[in-house]
Every structure is written in C-alpha cells, then in structure tokens.
Amino acid sequence: MEPQEIREGYLVKKGTLLNSWRAVWVVLSEDGLDYYKKKTDRSPKGMIPLKGATLISPCQDFNKRTLVFKITAEKKQDHFFQASHIEERELWVKDIKRTISCLKDGKRFARKSTRRSIRLPDTVNLAELYALMKDQDDGVKELKLEQDNRVFNHCFTGATVVEWLVSREKARNRPEALMLATGLLNEGFLQPADELSKEGVEGGEQTSFLDQTKALYYFADSGFFCEGYSSDEDVLLKDEFRGNIIKQGCLLKQGHRRKNWKVRKFILRDDPAYMHYCDPSKGDDPLGAVHLRGAVVTAVEYVPDAKKHDIDGNLFEIITSDETHYFLQAATAEERKDWIKAIQAVSKSGK
C-alpha cells in the first residue's frame, strides 16, 4: 500500500552541506518527508525518514531567522525548515509530530477523533457552530490583544469563547462549553495563538482548550498574525505597510524580464491595498509590491511566454489599474480560490 500523503507545500530549507537557505516543495507522508527543488519535479532532491526522528519547534539556532523548526533523523542528522508565517509552521509541526508518534507506536496516521476523545453528542454540528461564531454581528469578536511584549491581531481569549457559547445557549454551563471549544480546537476550526494555548494543546489533557483570559486563539481561516513591539523610530513606516495583514503565504511568481518562475512569499494588506513579495529564503525585506486598488484578478489556464514544464495548473493573473500584469501559481486549486477571493475583496475596499 502506497504511503498516504498528509501535507504538502512550500517551505524554506537550510542546505545540509552549505549554509544556504532555499525554498523547496515539501511532501509529508506516513513514513517520511520528501523535498523537491520544484513542485513539478518527479524525483525528490532528498528524503527524511521520520521513524525514530525528533522535532523541535520553535528552533532558535538562528538569530536572524524566525518560524524555524528542526527535525533530527534517527541517524542524528539535523534538518532545518522555515515557514512563511506562524500558523503555517504550527500546522506542519502538528502533523509531523503525529506522524513520528504513529511510526513509534506502529499505527497508521489518523487525525484525532474529537467525538471519541471527548464524547461529543452526535447532534452537535461543529461546522455550523463555527459559522455562527464567525458571524460579524452576533459572533465572537476578533480583537487586537497585547501580551508579553507582542501584539496578536484578529484573535480572542479562551474565556471569551466559553462565555459566548454559554450566553448563546449553545452550552448549559462552562464545563459543557469547554468540551465544545475543545472539539472545535481538535477539528482545526480554532487554532492556538500564544505559548499558553499551545502548551494546552501539547499537554495531552482531555480538554486541551483553556478557559482563561490569557490563553489566545484565532479562527483557522482568519487574517491572524503576531508582531513584536516597535521602537519609536520604527513607527514611521511607509504608508503602504500600515494595512492589516489579510493573507500571507508562498506562491510561484513569473518574472517580468526573464519570464522565469520563482517562489516568493506574499503578504496581502487591506488599507492601503498592497501585496508585497519577498524571497522567503532571505527574510521579509520586500522585493516589490503590487498596488491592488482597482485591480482585476482572475483564474487563468494559460500564461504567455511560459515553458510547458513550468505550468501545472492553479494559475491566476492580477492586472493592476496601470495595466501591469502579474502571473502567479498557487499550490492547490483551493489555495488559488482563497487568494483570488481575498485579493478581490481588498482591491474593492482598500485605498
């Protein structure tokens, strides 16, 4: 039986011989981690067996690099990977840890069954409950919260979730609301935002959700991001960087001159409407920006001047108000749909 593919996407990897970092396409399966120079390559550049491996996250071996995690194979070889944003790192870390645990116990990879682990009634529909929680008028309010010298955007406290469930009569009391919140967390509808809430998830308790005012969480498909405090000198940012981050992640971008394709990290902001991009292997200093006010974005099946081996679907095009064309490629059809939806919303509402 072929190993099941669990997760795939772009990560930045440190070279095993040279001290260089490069964006690679990574595929996690039930028995290991394969990484490719390009998404379209048929043979992996390298393979990391996960049986007997250990994982450390966050890895702080590199002063100028954040969002790094380290996998140490059974033969004591270290592999370092860097995600483009914190929620992406947490999703990779969670699945890799579960894969390592399943290999150790001789089991097949399977995500937690919330109903079996915390005995949720069959009548509870977590997807419907999540939709109600996200209602702009009557749902859980997303806030900007400051804690431990950091600013957490688009998040809320564990206590807020529990109080909302009780006040909206979705639960009879706080213990019952805590079980529902744990179900939402286990199924991935809610994500831990700070160290306290992450410790709750890793603790192995039956109710991993924390009914506390200092435990922070966010909606899985929100624009959550975390930032440190800036000094007074850093406050004078360019106007185009002042908008809230709506979405971020890695995409393939076609160059305007050489027409070659390279992995770039994109950060979409709403007001003013800009999408900055950078080389994910070299930090967050932008290489360029796309002004989205009045821009048009559409899915496309063909890109002029592109080589056939560069194209494998999930393409979309942005045409700015000054008629500059940008061709981008997402990793999956669902990701392309999400990016198009987010860019369309920003292009209409942002300055």
Side-chain angles (χ1 to χ4, degrees), residues 240 267-270 272-276 289-292 346 351:
E240 63 192 58
I267 301 176
L268 175 64
R269 292 179 170 88
D270 65 350
Y274 275 91
M275 189 160 75
H276 296 87
V290 184
H291 190 193
L292 295 172
V346 166
K351 294 179 182 178

Side-chain angles (χ1 to χ4, degrees), residues 71-83:
I71 300 172
T72 302
E74 189 174 30
K75 294 184 178 180
K76 306 304 179 185
Q77 185 177 21
D78 292 334
H79 301 271
F80 299 92
F81 292 91
Q82 182 182 27

Side-chain angles (χ1 to χ4, degrees), residues 78-201:
D78 292 334
H79 301 271
F80 299 92
F81 292 91
Q82 182 182 27
S84 62
H85 50 94
I86 191 167
E87 53 267 38
E88 180 182 64
R89 184 190 67 186
E90 296 308 311
L91 290 171
W92 275 100
V93 166
K94 183 178 179 181
D95 281 347
I96 294 171
K97 281 185 175 180
R98 185 172 294 281
T99 302
I100 293 171
S101 177
C102 288
L103 286 169
K104 181 180 178 181
D105 298 337
K107 299 177 181 179
R108 293 209 67 182
F109 182 96
R111 304 194 187 280
K112 284 183 179 178
S113 172
T114 297
R115 295 190 185 278
R116 283 200 301 269
S117 62
I118 62 175
R119 299 176 185 174
L120 276 182
D122 292 335
T123 54
V124 174
N125 187 320
L126 292 175
E128 287 183 4
L129 184 59
Y130 179 67
L132 291 172
M133 292 177 70
K134 291 202 69 183
D135 184 88
Q136 290 188 354
D137 298 321
D138 199 40
V140 175
K141 303 303 180 188
E142 297 178 271
L143 305 171
K144 177 186 283 190
L145 300 174
E146 299 182 16
Q147 190 167 286
D148 298 329
N149 292 331
R150 299 164 79 191
V151 179
F152 297 84
N153 297 269
H154 301 285
C155 69
F156 38 82
T157 70
T160 298
V161 172
V162 171
E163 288 164 4
W164 183 90
L165 290 167
V166 174
S167 66
R168 299 305 187 276
E169 298 183 349
K170 305 302 177 186
R172 292 171 295 180
N173 49 49
R174 294 188 83 92
E176 190 174 285
L178 186 59
M179 297 295 274
L180 284 175
T182 298
L184 290 162
L185 182 67
N186 287 352
E187 291 297 316
F189 292 109
L190 303 181
Q191 295 290 331
D194 66 331
E195 295 305 318
L196 180 60
S197 58
K198 289 173 188 175
E199 287 174 7
V201 172

Side-chain angles (χ1 to χ4, degrees), residues 266-300:
F266 285 83
I267 301 176
L268 175 64
R269 292 179 170 88
D270 65 350
D271 190 13
Y274 275 91
M275 189 160 75
H276 296 87
Y277 57 91
C278 62
D279 183 341
S281 66
K282 296 180 180 178
D284 286 337
D285 292 334
L287 298 172
V290 184
H291 190 193
L292 295 172
R293 178 62 176 168
V296 176
V297 55
T298 55
V300 296

Side-chain angles (χ1 to χ4, degrees), residues 334-351:
E334 187 66 26
E335 186 180 88
R336 176 176 71 171
K337 180 181 175 182
D338 290 344
W339 272 105
I340 290 175
K341 183 179 178 181
I343 293 169
Q344 285 176 337
V346 166
S347 68
K348 293 175 183 177
S349 62
K351 294 179 182 178

Side-chain angles (χ1 to χ4, degrees), residues 8-10 23-27 34-45 252 260-263 306-315 329-332:
E8 59 182 358
Y10 290 109
V24 293
W25 180 256
V26 183
V27 178
D34 295 347
Y35 54 95
Y36 300 77
K37 186 176 180 180
K38 294 181 179 179
K39 180 175 181 282
T40 51
D41 288 351
R42 293 184 178 181
S43 301
K45 186 178 180 181
L252 271 178
N260 55 344
W261 293 79
K262 292 186 177 181
V263 178
K307 298 177 181 178
K308 287 185 178 180
H309 68 268
D310 286 330
I311 302 300
D312 65 344
N314 307 319
L315 298 160
Q329 185 182 61
T332 64

Side-chain angles (χ1 to χ4, degrees), residues 190-290:
L190 303 181
Q191 295 290 331
D194 66 331
E195 295 305 318
L196 180 60
S197 58
K198 289 173 188 175
E199 287 174 7
V201 172
E202 297 293 334
E205 298 294 328
Q206 187 181 38
T207 53
S208 54
F209 191 91
L210 301 179
D211 178 9
Q212 298 182 26
T213 57
K214 294 207 170 183
L216 306 182
Y217 299 88
Y218 62 93
F219 294 127
D221 54 356
S222 75
F224 168 79
F225 68 102
C226 176
E227 56 189 340
Y229 283 126
S230 297
S231 66
D232 292 339
E233 292 79 8
D234 293 333
V235 172
L236 299 174
L237 299 174
K238 288 183 179 180
D239 183 62
E240 63 192 58
F241 291 100
R242 292 184 182 276
N244 292 322
I245 294 178
I246 301 301
K247 187 173 177 61
Q248 54 185 323
C250 286
L251 296 166
L252 271 178
K253 176 185 175 293
Q254 186 190 49
H256 281 100
R257 294 182 181 178
R258 298 182 181 179
K259 305 300 181 183
N260 55 344
W261 293 79
K262 292 186 177 181
V263 178
R264 295 292 181 244
K265 175 184 173 180
F266 285 83
I267 301 176
L268 175 64
R269 292 179 170 88
D270 65 350
D271 190 13
Y274 275 91
M275 189 160 75
H276 296 87
Y277 57 91
C278 62
D279 183 341
S281 66
K282 296 180 180 178
D284 286 337
D285 292 334
L287 298 172
V290 184

